[in-house]
């Protein structure tokens, strides 16, 4: 009589377990590539290197964005990515802050009474967007367009970055 060896069911059990583990790993892999933070940072660096006034807009393909004075972080279903800026003159701007209109194209002369007032607003925004040892700086936003604008007024020469 032909009979199956006694340990065959162990092999089937092991094969089923390996298949379940493989399926779990494959299901956990991202379905899309990570966002391209390098292109976003390159856009900001290009604006910062140009003579003021210079502007650029970049359509962001990510669910969440965080801009700090050091760089930009992006998150999506495909993962997360970070790219640093090549300059120290970048200042992240809050959408409801006093610099938002300037980042979108308004003249600093219309938004502020003096170059000194503009300089104080830039210094405040820079301090709020700077990472520290205990905080990574900046908030995650769900904006879809990054606006970068190189502005110079008085002694202040800065690149403002707004995500809206």
């Amino acid at each position: 009589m032909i009979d199956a060896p006694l340990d065959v069911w162990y092999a089937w059990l092991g094969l089923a377990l390996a298949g379940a583990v493989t399926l779990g790993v494959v299901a956990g892999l991202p379905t899309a590539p990570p966002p391209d933070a390098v292109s976003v940072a390159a856009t900001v660096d290009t604006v910062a290197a140009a003579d003021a006034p210079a502007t650029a807009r970049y359509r962001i393909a990510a669910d969440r964005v965080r801009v700090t004075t050091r760089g930009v972080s992006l998150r999506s279903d495909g993962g997360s990515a970070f790219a640093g800026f090549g300059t120290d003159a970048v200042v992240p701007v809050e959408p409801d802050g006093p610099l938002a209109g300037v980042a979108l194209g308004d003249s600093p002369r219309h938004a502020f009474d003096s170059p000194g007032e503009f300089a104080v607003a830039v210094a405040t925004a820079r301090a709020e967007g700077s990472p520290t040892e205990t905080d990574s700086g900046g908030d995650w936003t769900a904006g879809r367009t990054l606006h970068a604008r190189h502005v110079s007024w008085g002694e202040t020469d800065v690149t403002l970055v707004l995500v809206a």
Side-chain angles (χ1 to χ4, degrees):
M1 184 165 157
I2 300 177
D3 199 14
L6 185 60
D7 61 5
V8 168
W9 71 275
Y10 288 111
W12 284 106
L13 183 63
L15 188 59
L17 184 61
V21 168
T22 302
L23 182 63
V25 168
V26 169
L29 293 176
T31 58
D36 185 13
V38 174
S39 293
V40 177
T43 300
V44 173
D45 286 341
T46 301
V47 171
D51 292 333
T55 62
R57 286 186 296 174
Y58 190 92
R59 182 86 172 135
I60 298 172
D63 299 329
R64 293 286 198 210
V65 182
R66 178 171 49 195
V67 178
T68 67
T69 56
R70 292 186 184 163
V72 61
S73 300
L74 304 176
R75 280 188 189 164
S76 70
D77 291 339
S80 61
F82 172 81
F85 298 131
T87 180
D88 293 333
V90 175
V91 174
V93 175
E94 295 292 325
D96 55 351
L99 293 170
V102 177
L104 292 173
D106 290 345
S107 171
R109 286 178 171 80
H110 293 110
F112 297 95
D113 294 331
S114 68
E117 188 178 315
F118 177 64
V120 168
V122 167
T124 302
R126 185 185 312 263
E128 290 173 358
S130 295
T132 62
E133 290 181 18
T134 58
D135 181 26
S136 58
D139 292 327
W140 289 96
T141 60
R144 290 292 186 192
T145 304
L146 180 132
H147 302 269
R149 182 166 186 226
H150 185 174
V151 180
S152 182
W153 190 33
E155 298 294 318
T156 306
D157 188 25
V158 67
T159 301
L160 303 175
V161 178
L162 171 69
V163 177

